[in-house]
Amino acid sequence: MNTALQTDVLNDVTAFLWAEADMLDNELYEEWLQLWQEDGLYIVPIDPRETDHENTLNYAYDNAKMRQMRVRRLTGGESISTSPEPRTVRMASRFRIVEDDGTTLTVRCAQFLTDFRKENQHQYTANLVYTLRRHETGFRIVRKVVKLINADDVLQTIGYIL
């Protein structure tokens, strides 16, 4: 399938991923959890060039149970890295469908995220790679890989979902 000319699909994918970004910035974590396939994986690799995430060290490699635990930690008030809650704004752009077999799509995009917490502001830039599966109500996330461009450098505490 020629992915370069799928403007209708690209518009649907972009709207879906912008909604995901809005949910995360507005701490709508229960809604965010509903975006996922049960077998989905949220991955933040330490080496942004690594592609074998199953056999290498990652900052996050979350299945459904770990995503739910991460959300509970963010909303439970028991994690020192989330108190006070960081405020975030993320911008996603440069969406490109790189594969589409009619059921599952692979999408790449760029993300620029700013957080503010305890009088400090940080920026994190990342390339994102999503695997999405078509669903009767739109899409479900099968895999989200957040490749921070400085992941192999010293990172400040990140008390939220990228």
Side-chain angles (χ1 to χ4, degrees), residues 129-145:
V129 181
Y130 286 90
T131 303
L132 305 175
R133 187 165 300 140
R134 286 182 169 83
H135 185 265
E136 62 262 9
T137 60
F139 299 100
R140 289 290 182 262
I141 302 170
V142 176
R143 190 176 181 102
K144 177 180 179 180
V145 181

Side-chain angles (χ1 to χ4, degrees), residues 81-96:
S81 66
T82 61
S83 182
E85 293 179 26
R87 290 176 270 175
T88 62
V89 172
R90 66 196 74 213
M91 305 296 288
S93 67
R94 201 194 67 217
F95 296 95
R96 181 169 179 238

Side-chain angles (χ1 to χ4, degrees), residues 5-160:
L5 302 176
Q6 294 180 279
T7 54
D8 290 343
V9 175
L10 184 60
N11 286 336
D12 292 343
V13 165
T14 301
F16 176 80
L17 297 177
W18 279 342
E20 185 215 13
D22 180 74
M23 289 174 195
L24 291 173
D25 285 341
N26 288 288
E27 302 170 10
L28 303 171
Y29 300 120
E30 292 303 323
E31 287 183 44
W32 178 75
L33 288 171
Q34 300 306 310
L35 299 178
W36 288 83
Q37 286 282 133
E38 180 65 21
D39 60 346
L41 290 171
Y42 166 70
I43 302 167
V44 182
I46 289 176
D47 182 347
R49 294 168 296 274
E50 183 62 62
T51 57
D52 182 9
H53 309 296
E54 290 77 14
N55 296 302
T56 57
L57 195 57
N58 301 288
Y59 290 112
Y61 190 86
D62 293 358
N63 59 17
K65 182 179 178 184
M66 288 300 294
R67 287 191 304 276
Q68 291 169 358
M69 289 173 60
R70 188 176 298 277
V71 165
R72 276 198 302 266
R73 192 172 55 246
L74 290 172
T75 58
E78 297 175 11
S79 173
I80 194 164
S81 66
T82 61
S83 182
E85 293 179 26
R87 290 176 270 175
T88 62
V89 172
R90 66 196 74 213
M91 305 296 288
S93 67
R94 201 194 67 217
F95 296 95
R96 181 169 179 238
I97 298 170
V98 292
E99 287 183 42
D100 184 354
D101 68 5
T103 303
T104 304
L105 305 101
T106 300
V107 180
R108 287 194 304 240
C109 66
Q111 176 175 275
F112 186 77
L113 187 153
T114 301
D115 77 45
F116 179 77
R117 180 174 175 261
K118 292 187 177 179
E119 302 178 13
N120 290 298
Q121 185 170 302
H122 305 99
Q123 280 86 34
Y124 294 98
T125 305
N127 287 299
L128 306 182
V129 181
Y130 286 90
T131 303
L132 305 175
R133 187 165 300 140
R134 286 182 169 83
H135 185 265
E136 62 262 9
T137 60
F139 299 100
R140 289 290 182 262
I141 302 170
V142 176
R143 190 176 181 102
K144 177 180 179 180
V145 181
V146 180
K147 298 179 175 188
L148 292 166
I149 62 170
N150 63 337
D152 50 358
D153 199 356
V154 176
L155 298 178
Q156 300 292 322
T157 300
I158 301 174
Y160 47 84

